[in-house]
Amino acid sequence: MASPKSKKLSAPKNELPPGRRDGSNAKPRPSPARPGSLYNAAEVHEIFRRFSVQRPEPKGELEHVNAFTLLVAVVLSAQATDVGVNKATRALFKVADTPQKMLALGEARVGDHIRTIGLWRNKAKNVIALSQALIRDLGGEVPDNREQLVELPGVGRKTANVVLNMAFGQHTMAVDTHILRIGNRLGLAPGKTPEQVEQGLLRIIPDEYMRHAHHWLILHGRYVCKARKPDCPACVIADICKAQEKTTDVPAPLVELAPLGPPDEIQ
Ligand code: SF4
């Protein structure tokens, strides 16, 4: 397999380096993929190409059996770990994997199942309320569009983006704490709010990588570019990264990784 360092990163042929556009002798600078990003289009492409080699088929780590249980799991995952949510939902989804069954189970018994998850009382209310809304307004089906999803109790933009991406294969970017950090730390898509980072990433990530980009960035942030201390020697994009905190320019070997075990960090 070719070494990651062997690929020369340059702007696409039809883009002149900005420093030479006026014919001056100014030192050429890489052309940004889009305003705000520190990376040119070729660099962004190479970052995601490497992520795709590491994890050709990344999976979300929240267990679910259909779009409804995915929606419930994501609602429950706010301020909770995926592993904690999975422990609670394994038994819950065995008895209630549709809005109708969830409603029949009732708020008190849903609460019993999810008592180990933070904010469980409020979440039990929301799970029942969103089941009611799905049955009443949407024929019991999880909608495949953001407008209807964010109308459901307990469902915000991030939850809607996760469901649209994972259940319906749409090219959305759900910005969690890891992606917010990476967007800013690397200067990939700087922004003060999750929505600014979301819009920046949507603008620069090539279409061919959008299906899995959300998972790649979350996994990179969770296991390598960690909040307190990024593990730069283990990072396959260390030669491209422009983060001030990075500790090496030498990228880790680019190999396909074994599937991950359960996560243990707060989302
Ligand atoms: S080199 Fe370090 S700071 Fe840059 S992306 Fe990799 S882990 Fe993060």
Side-chain angles (χ1 to χ4, degrees), residues 156-234:
R157 186 179 182 89
K158 189 185 107 183
T159 298
N161 280 339
V162 173
V163 172
L164 291 172
N165 178 257
M166 290 178 65
F168 300 108
Q170 295 184 19
H171 290 184
T172 56
M173 176 57 62
V175 175
D176 72 343
T177 180
H178 298 297
I179 299 183
L180 186 66
R181 180 176 70 254
I182 287 177
N184 282 291
R185 177 185 274 167
L186 277 65
L188 199 54
K192 289 188 181 137
T193 64
E195 196 163 339
Q196 286 171 350
V197 171
E198 175 188 330
Q199 295 306 327
L201 290 171
L202 288 175
R203 279 197 297 270
I204 65 169
I205 298 173
D207 258 6
E208 67 192 285
Y209 296 125
M210 269 310 300
R211 175 81 174 88
H212 294 312
H214 157 247
H215 283 134
W216 285 325
L217 288 171
I218 287 179
L219 294 170
H220 187 64
R222 184 179 281 163
Y223 296 106
V224 181
C225 196
K226 298 179 235 184
R228 286 198 198 134
K229 194 169 172 226
D231 188 2
C232 304

Side-chain angles (χ1 to χ4, degrees), residues 185-186 220 224-226 230-233 235-239 241-243 245-248:
R185 177 185 274 167
L186 277 65
H220 187 64
V224 181
C225 196
K226 298 179 235 184
D231 188 2
C232 304
C235 178
V236 292
I237 59 167
D239 53 331
C241 172
K242 300 180 203 291
E245 298 105 306
K246 85 168 175 177
T247 58
T248 179

Side-chain angles (χ1 to χ4, degrees), residues 30-264:
S31 57
R34 289 291 187 279
S37 178
L38 298 182
Y39 299 79
N40 66 35
E43 288 168 329
V44 175
H45 194 281
E46 179 62 6
I47 286 170
F48 285 93
R49 186 193 71 81
R50 293 188 195 177
F51 287 159
S52 75
V53 172
Q54 277 194 303
R55 296 186 175 94
E57 289 294 329
K59 298 268 186 292
E61 295 179 307
L62 280 175
E63 295 175 11
H64 59 282
V65 296
N66 54 27
F68 172 68
T69 50
L70 172 65
L71 176 61
V72 171
V74 181
V75 165
L76 296 179
S77 73
Q79 306 295 315
T81 63
D82 286 359
V83 70
V85 171
N86 289 341
K87 268 185 196 156
T89 56
R90 260 171 226 146
L92 174 63
F93 294 160
K94 274 197 184 127
V95 292
D97 60 357
T98 66
Q100 292 82 356
K101 289 182 196 169
M102 198 64 80
L103 200 53
L105 194 61
E107 187 179 322
R109 276 188 288 168
V110 170
D112 287 343
H113 278 283
I114 65 168
R115 211 170 273 263
T116 51
I117 303 175
L119 311 173
W120 65 271
R121 281 192 184 82
N122 209 30
K123 289 176 180 175
K125 268 193 185 60
N126 280 336
V127 168
I128 291 299
L130 81 81
S131 301
Q132 277 170 330
L134 286 175
I135 294 167
R136 186 186 61 232
D137 303 330
L138 297 159
E141 297 291 327
V142 175
D144 63 357
N145 64 82
R146 186 194 315 282
E147 295 69 31
Q148 289 179 313
L149 277 167
V150 296
E151 289 294 314
L152 295 168
V155 178
R157 186 179 182 89
K158 189 185 107 183
T159 298
N161 280 339
V162 173
V163 172
L164 291 172
N165 178 257
M166 290 178 65
F168 300 108
Q170 295 184 19
H171 290 184
T172 56
M173 176 57 62
V175 175
D176 72 343
T177 180
H178 298 297
I179 299 183
L180 186 66
R181 180 176 70 254
I182 287 177
N184 282 291
R185 177 185 274 167
L186 277 65
L188 199 54
K192 289 188 181 137
T193 64
E195 196 163 339
Q196 286 171 350
V197 171
E198 175 188 330
Q199 295 306 327
L201 290 171
L202 288 175
R203 279 197 297 270
I204 65 169
I205 298 173
D207 258 6
E208 67 192 285
Y209 296 125
M210 269 310 300
R211 175 81 174 88
H212 294 312
H214 157 247
H215 283 134
W216 285 325
L217 288 171
I218 287 179
L219 294 170
H220 187 64
R222 184 179 281 163
Y223 296 106
V224 181
C225 196
K226 298 179 235 184
R228 286 198 198 134
K229 194 169 172 226
D231 188 2
C232 304
C235 178
V236 292
I237 59 167
D239 53 331
I240 309 173
C241 172
K242 300 180 203 291
Q244 288 184 344
E245 298 105 306
K246 85 168 175 177
T247 58
T248 179
D249 287 329
V250 180
L254 185 59
V255 292
E256 185 173 340
L257 302 176
L260 291 159
D264 58 1

